[in-house]
Amino acid sequence: MSFKFAIIPCLSDNYAYLVHGNGKTALIDAPEAKPIQDYLDAHGWSLDEIWITHHHDDHIGAVEELRSGTVVRGAKADAHRLPELDVAHEDGDSFEFAGSEVRVFDVSGHTIGHIAYYIPDESAAFTADSLMALGCGRVFEGTFDQMWASLSKLAALPPETLIFSGHEYTEANGRFALTIEPENPALQKRMTEIKEARAKGEATVPSQLSEELATNPFLRAGLQRLNRP
Ligand code: ZN
Ligand code: FE
């Protein structure tokens, strides 16, 4: 990995992310301008690109305030309800950022037109409200089948992939996960670590896909329930 990643807590429980490499900086989602701008100023970075995952206000609210001079990317399917896009993406697109390839996946379910951004060179996927740490986004606009197809796509990425999701929901997600798989030792261990991290006010993102495969009930829904009566 040669890029730097910054996790920026915004609003009550959102995360924005900055990716910085080769002198270029991209922002993934813009919940709130001030914490993002403060981080940029403190590090002497300026925004080159903004990558939007989906249309909800808590992901796009500060795009207009931050966009001057930046390339704004988002889903073509959502162009009518996103800030004006400089580049409108479809599933399977790829583009170059700071010398690395970025792939775009449609991960609809939470909304129709939700996309994820994957940087293979960096083993990093920005999944926002599709795949989340120990959970997934609520299915508001899509169907459960659509969410399952989206999660399956992400589950097929290399297991070392880091999952940068959109919210700090991990502890609540974990409480639910334990009702589904109370006997899963990997989940029990992870939940202990999550509680410790949250008690110290630390972020529980990014998580590694391998951990999600071992503990996230929404990725494990296709497994046989061997441990249950
Ligand atoms: Zn959302
Ligand atoms: Fe959200």
Side-chain angles (χ1 to χ4, degrees):
M1 298 220 309
S2 59
F3 286 4
K4 290 193 173 108
F5 295 86
I7 303 170
I8 310 204
C10 293
L11 305 173
S12 58
D13 56 29
N14 277 78
Y15 288 119
Y17 299 104
L18 290 165
V19 179
H20 181 81
N22 294 322
K24 299 268 182 201
T25 307
L27 169 70
I28 296 89
D29 284 343
E32 187 183 8
K34 186 166 188 314
I36 296 166
Q37 193 61 57
D38 286 351
Y39 191 98
L40 291 167
D41 293 345
H43 291 79
W45 298 354
S46 60
L47 273 190
D48 298 285
E49 306 212 355
I50 299 174
W51 307 346
I52 296 170
T53 60
H54 68 293
H55 75 92
H56 285 156
D57 271 348
D58 61 316
H59 298 259
I60 63 170
V63 170
E64 293 305 344
E65 214 175 324
L66 292 165
R67 76 179 300 166
S68 93
T70 72
V71 172
V72 178
R73 302 176 182 275
K76 189 174 183 181
D78 262 350
H80 61 287
R81 56 183 181 174
L82 293 177
E84 191 185 336
L85 299 178
D86 299 300
V87 188
H89 286 295
E90 291 178 281
D91 183 50
D93 278 6
S94 65
F95 61 92
E96 183 261 323
F97 171 76
S100 283
E101 183 197 14
V102 183
R103 294 186 200 155
V104 178
F105 298 119
D106 176 275
V107 289
S108 288
H110 175 68
T111 62
I112 304 280
H114 192 313
I115 56 177
Y117 298 88
Y118 171 53
I119 312 176
D121 288 351
E122 300 291 322
S123 299
F126 297 90
T127 60
D129 299 356
S130 58
L131 176 59
M132 305 179 97
L134 278 179
C136 68
R138 187 174 300 209
V139 173
F140 281 120
E141 295 177 6
T143 64
F144 293 103
D145 284 348
Q146 229 166 4
M147 179 59 100
W148 177 247
S150 297
L151 294 177
S152 301
K153 234 184 257 187
L154 295 167
L157 293 174
E160 67 274 16
T161 305
L162 293 174
I163 304 297
F164 292 82
S165 51
H167 291 266
E168 184 57 64
Y169 290 164
T170 315
E171 190 171 350
N173 289 345
R175 280 196 292 273
F176 174 74
L178 279 169
T179 69
I180 306 292
E181 285 194 298
E183 319 266 278
N184 179 338
L187 175 59
Q188 291 166 349
K189 179 167 175 285
R190 189 173 177 195
M191 197 50 181
T192 305
E193 291 161 1
I194 287 162
K195 282 182 180 158
E196 284 168 10
R198 293 308 297 150
K200 288 186 270 179
E202 291 171 2
T204 60
V205 294
S207 56
Q208 203 162 42
L209 180 58
S210 57
E211 296 177 80
E212 298 304 333
L213 291 167
T215 56
N216 186 327
F218 296 93
L219 294 186
R220 297 170 61 74
L223 301 178
Q224 290 203 22
R225 297 198 283 177
L226 296 175
N227 296 325
R228 304 195 97 196

